[in-house]
Amino acid sequence: LFRGKKPEFVFQKVTKGTVVQDVSETGSVKVSEETALGFKNSGRIKKIYVNVGDNVRAGQALAELDTTQLEIELSADKADLEVVKAKKDDAEVSLENAGQSLKNAQASAEEKLKSVYEDAVNVLDDSYLKIYNSFSVASDIHRDYFSNNDQQGRKVADSEDKIESAMNLAKSYQGIIESNSREKIDEALFKVKTALENTRDALEVIRDMAETITYRNVVSSSDKTSLDSQKSYIIAALNSLTNAQQTISAAKVSNKTNIDDAKAKISSLKNQLREGGLYSAQSNQVRAEIKLLENKIAEAILRAPGKGQITNINKREGEVIQ
């Protein structure tokens, strides 16, 4: 039998511990993710809060731009917004006043028309009296001096008939009051004007007949003067009636202008105050500018997007960046 060397054993007491194995290698640490940061807007760097190698947390301020000019512009825009609000408030007050002005213009227009039409009725009544007096004088002269057997007498008779027709027409409109109808008064003024013109022409014919060879020394001077006076009264009445027509026309034009101006002002103010109107558009524009500036001011602070370490800073405080 073969007998070898007996094995040797090392005995060790068993205890709890940590197994450690050292590994020695040569190499470099590679950053798993690198982010280049920059401002959204241009400006001058006011402050840099970190240095290379600093560890930062998410949301931490890294640098800040100078926002002095932006804040000045923001204050100006906020002041502009207050101005727009004040103008809108003024426009609302103006709209209320314009509404009252329209009511006043309408009331004034009615009062003015009432007055001028009352004057026109008085002119119509006076015109009737003037034609009536002319008819009386013409009738007396016809009766006292002229015969219907000759041409002059027949012309005087025809003229007297014309004056009588004019008198009857004017009488039919005598005493017209406004409540009957202003259109009726306008009609009366037009027709009585024609009646006055016919009366004037008829008096001229009678006066001419009184100066013919046959009647020149027959008709008395006082009656001839009476004819001349009646003609002057008719002409004065005709002028008064024409003035009444013009006054009514001017009043209507003036009233329409005043009322239309008041309505136009109301319409303009309503358009300015409506949604999408002048003040709404101005307010929206200024608010948009304010929002833009507020965003720029908020974006003037550069913040860390997440937890990490500053590896490089290539700008300095006071430097203008684009």
Side-chain angles (χ1 to χ4, degrees):
L1 295 174
F2 175 78
R3 294 181 182 274
K5 186 178 180 180
K6 292 181 180 181
E8 294 181 1
F9 298 95
V10 176
F11 294 93
Q12 183 70 34
K13 185 177 181 181
V14 177
T15 60
K16 290 183 178 182
T18 300
V19 178
V20 177
Q21 181 178 6
D22 292 333
V23 177
S24 178
E25 294 290 345
T26 301
S28 62
V29 177
K30 182 179 180 181
V31 178
S32 60
E33 181 179 353
E34 184 175 270
T35 303
L37 303 179
F39 291 99
K40 290 185 177 181
N41 304 301
S42 61
R44 185 181 300 277
I45 297 177
K46 176 182 179 181
K47 185 71 176 176
I48 296 176
Y49 298 107
V50 293
N51 296 304
V52 174
D54 288 354
N55 292 316
V56 296
R57 63 185 182 281
Q60 181 177 336
L62 306 179
E64 181 179 1
L65 294 178
D66 186 351
T67 59
T68 302
Q69 185 58 39
L70 293 176
E71 289 168 356
I72 292 174
E73 293 176 9
L74 179 61
S75 296
D77 283 346
K78 287 182 176 179
D80 289 343
L81 183 60
E82 292 302 316
V83 170
V84 174
K85 289 179 179 178
K87 288 182 178 179
K88 183 178 180 182
D89 292 341
D90 289 344
E92 289 174 345
V93 173
S94 296
L95 178 59
E96 184 177 348
N97 292 338
Q100 185 59 49
S101 295
L102 175 59
K103 292 180 181 179
N104 293 342
Q106 291 170 332
S108 176
E110 177 59 27
E111 190 63 30
K112 184 184 295 184
L113 283 179
K114 180 180 178 181
S115 176
V116 296
Y117 272 105
E118 286 176 351
D119 292 342
V121 170
N122 293 333
V123 170
L124 288 170
D125 291 344
D126 182 67
S127 296
Y128 164 72
L129 292 176
K130 294 294 192 299
I131 298 174
Y132 175 84
N133 292 336
S134 295
F135 175 70
S136 296
V137 171
S139 296
D140 290 343
I141 292 176
H142 178 211
R143 184 187 64 246
D144 294 340
Y145 299 109
F146 291 92
S147 168
N148 292 334
N149 295 326
D150 56 25
Q151 184 179 5
Q152 292 90 339
R154 286 191 293 272
K155 285 186 176 182
V156 169
D158 289 341
S159 297
E160 181 186 353
D161 290 341
K162 288 181 179 179
I163 296 174
E164 184 177 16
S165 296
M167 178 185 67
N168 292 333
L169 185 146
K171 185 177 181 179
S172 68
Y173 290 109
Q174 189 181 18
I176 290 178
I177 58 175
E178 182 188 5
S179 59
N180 282 346
S181 169
R182 287 172 180 168
E183 289 76 11
K184 190 72 172 178
I185 296 175
D186 290 334
E187 175 190 329
L189 290 169
F190 176 77
K191 291 188 174 181
V192 172
K193 181 179 180 180
T194 301
L196 286 168
E197 291 171 342
N198 291 339
T199 301
R200 176 200 61 198
D201 295 343
L203 288 171
E204 287 179 352
V205 171
I206 296 173
R207 184 67 174 81
D208 289 342
M209 293 305 98
E211 289 294 342
T212 59
I213 295 175
T214 305
Y215 292 98
R216 181 180 302 162
N217 297 322
V218 175
V219 180
S220 68
S221 297
S222 61
D223 284 333
K224 290 178 182 179
T225 300
S226 181
L227 283 171
D228 292 336
S229 297
Q230 293 304 316
K231 179 182 174 182
S232 66
Y233 297 151
I234 291 297
I235 291 175
L238 186 58
N239 290 335
S240 295
L241 192 146
T242 301
N243 289 336
Q245 287 178 310
Q246 292 174 346
T247 300
I248 289 174
S249 178
K252 289 179 178 179
V253 171
S254 175
N255 289 343
K256 185 177 186 304
T257 299
N258 293 337
I259 291 173
D260 287 348
D261 287 347
K263 288 181 177 179
K265 187 171 184 179
I266 289 174
S267 178
S268 176
L269 289 169
K270 284 183 176 180
N271 286 334
Q272 292 175 11
L273 290 168
R274 68 178 173 82
E275 185 64 30
L278 174 63
Y279 296 114
S280 176
Q282 288 180 342
S283 296
N284 291 338
Q285 180 182 358
V286 176
R287 287 192 183 97
E289 292 173 355
I290 289 174
K291 184 64 177 177
L292 178 63
L293 289 170
E294 288 176 340
N295 289 340
K296 284 185 175 181
I297 291 173
E299 292 166 352
I301 299 177
L302 183 64
R303 299 183 181 277
K307 182 180 179 182
Q309 186 180 55
I310 304 300
T311 60
N312 182 40
I313 299 176
N314 57 9
K315 300 294 181 182
R316 299 185 301 275
E317 290 181 2
E319 184 176 350
V320 176
I321 59 154
Q322 301 299 322

